[in-house]
Protein backbone atom coordinates (compact mmCIF):
# COMPACT_ATOMS: atom_id res chain seq x y z
CA UNK A 1 0.00 0.00 0.00
CA UNK A 2 2.85 2.38 0.74
CA UNK A 3 4.09 1.89 -2.83
CA UNK A 4 0.73 3.02 -4.20
CA UNK A 5 0.73 6.37 -2.38
CA UNK A 6 3.40 8.15 -4.52
CA UNK A 7 1.67 7.06 -7.71
CA UNK A 8 -1.67 8.24 -6.34
CA UNK A 9 -0.11 11.56 -5.32
CA UNK A 10 1.24 12.04 -8.86
CA UNK A 11 -2.14 11.11 -10.36
CA UNK A 12 -3.89 13.59 -8.08
CA UNK A 13 -1.41 16.32 -9.01
CA UNK A 14 -1.96 15.72 -12.73
CA UNK A 15 -5.72 15.66 -12.12
CA UNK A 16 -5.56 18.97 -10.25
CA UNK A 17 -3.61 20.50 -13.13
CA UNK A 18 -6.21 19.22 -15.60
CA UNK A 19 -8.96 21.33 -14.04
CA UNK A 20 -10.12 24.16 -16.32
CA UNK A 21 -9.44 27.39 -14.39
CA UNK A 22 -6.69 28.56 -12.09
CA UNK A 23 -9.07 28.80 -9.13
CA UNK A 24 -10.21 25.22 -9.72
CA UNK A 25 -6.60 24.06 -9.94
CA UNK A 26 -5.83 25.75 -6.65
CA UNK A 27 -8.88 24.16 -5.00
CA UNK A 28 -7.86 20.77 -6.36
CA UNK A 29 -4.29 21.15 -5.13
CA UNK A 30 -5.29 22.29 -1.63
CA UNK A 31 -5.68 18.73 -0.41
CA UNK A 32 -2.27 17.56 -1.67
CA UNK A 33 -0.27 18.79 1.37
CA UNK A 34 -2.69 17.06 3.73
CA UNK A 35 -2.45 13.91 1.62
CA UNK A 36 1.35 14.06 1.75
CA UNK A 37 1.31 14.55 5.52
CA UNK A 38 -1.04 11.59 5.97
CA UNK A 39 1.15 9.48 3.69
CA UNK A 40 4.29 10.48 5.58
CA UNK A 41 2.83 9.09 8.80
CA UNK A 42 1.96 5.70 7.27
CA UNK A 43 5.33 3.96 7.90
CA UNK A 44 5.17 4.85 11.59
CA UNK A 45 1.62 3.66 12.27
CA UNK A 46 2.14 -0.14 12.49
CA UNK A 47 4.75 0.19 15.26
CA UNK A 48 2.90 2.93 17.12
CA UNK A 49 1.43 1.66 20.37
CA UNK A 50 -0.38 4.84 21.36
CA UNK A 51 -4.04 5.74 21.03
CA UNK A 52 -5.78 4.93 17.81
CA UNK A 53 -6.67 8.59 17.34
CA UNK A 54 -3.45 8.98 15.39
CA UNK A 55 -4.57 6.32 12.95
CA UNK A 56 -7.86 8.14 12.46
CA UNK A 57 -6.08 11.46 11.94
CA UNK A 58 -3.76 9.93 9.35
CA UNK A 59 -6.69 8.34 7.56
CA UNK A 60 -8.59 11.64 7.61
CA UNK A 61 -5.61 13.46 6.13
CA UNK A 62 -5.26 10.81 3.43
CA UNK A 63 -8.94 11.08 2.54
CA UNK A 64 -8.93 14.89 2.59
CA UNK A 65 -6.73 15.11 -0.52
CA UNK A 66 -9.00 13.19 -2.90
CA UNK A 67 -12.08 14.77 -1.30
CA UNK A 68 -10.76 18.27 -2.04
CA UNK A 69 -10.01 17.23 -5.61
CA UNK A 70 -13.51 15.83 -5.94
CA UNK A 71 -15.03 19.06 -4.61
CA UNK A 72 -12.96 21.08 -7.08
CA UNK A 73 -14.11 18.84 -9.93
CA UNK A 74 -17.70 19.18 -8.79
CA UNK A 75 -17.43 22.98 -8.78
CA UNK A 76 -15.95 22.87 -12.30
CA UNK A 77 -18.48 20.35 -13.56
CA UNK A 78 -19.81 22.33 -16.52
CA UNK A 79 -16.44 23.02 -18.23
CA UNK A 80 -15.31 19.46 -17.50
CA UNK A 81 -18.37 18.00 -19.23
CA UNK A 82 -17.26 19.68 -22.44
CA UNK A 83 -13.81 18.05 -22.20
CA UNK A 84 -14.29 14.33 -21.55
CA UNK A 85 -10.55 13.66 -21.54
CA UNK A 86 -9.96 16.08 -18.68
CA UNK A 87 -12.94 14.69 -16.79
CA UNK A 88 -11.54 11.18 -17.14
CA UNK A 89 -8.12 12.33 -15.87
CA UNK A 90 -9.71 14.04 -12.86
CA UNK A 91 -11.87 11.03 -12.02
CA UNK A 92 -8.92 8.62 -12.35
CA UNK A 93 -6.75 10.85 -10.14
CA UNK A 94 -9.48 11.05 -7.51
CA UNK A 95 -10.03 7.30 -7.68
CA UNK A 96 -6.31 6.64 -7.30
CA UNK A 97 -6.17 8.86 -4.23
CA UNK A 98 -9.12 7.12 -2.61
CA UNK A 99 -7.74 3.69 -3.53
CA UNK A 100 -4.39 4.46 -1.90
CA UNK A 101 -6.09 5.77 1.24
CA UNK A 102 -8.65 3.00 1.57
CA UNK A 103 -6.55 0.29 3.30
CA UNK A 104 -5.74 2.75 6.08
Amino acid sequence: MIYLVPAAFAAMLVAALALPTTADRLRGALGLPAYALGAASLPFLPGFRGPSVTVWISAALLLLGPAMLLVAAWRAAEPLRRHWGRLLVVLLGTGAGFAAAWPT
Side-chain angles (χ1 to χ4, degrees):
M1 204 270 308
I2 287 179
Y3 301 113
L4 183 62
V5 170
F9 184 84
M12 287 172 44
L13 180 63
V14 169
L17 292 175
L19 291 169
T21 65
T22 305
D24 293 327
R25 288 184 202 120
L26 179 63
R27 274 188 215 104
L30 276 177
L32 291 175
Y35 189 80
L37 185 62
S41 67
L42 281 178
F44 303 105
L45 289 180
F48 187 73
R49 302 270 184 215
S52 64
V53 173
T54 56
V55 175
W56 285 104
I57 290 171
S58 296
L61 286 172
L62 274 173
L63 290 173
L64 181 64
M68 290 294 292
L69 184 59
L70 193 61
V71 166
W74 178 70
R75 288 186 55 101
E78 187 56 39
L80 281 176
R81 282 191 199 120
R82 286 184 253 138
H83 304 283
W84 285 100
R86 286 184 177 186
L87 178 63
L88 184 62
V89 166
V90 171
L91 291 178
L92 287 175
T94 304
F98 280 125
W102 185 256
T104 305

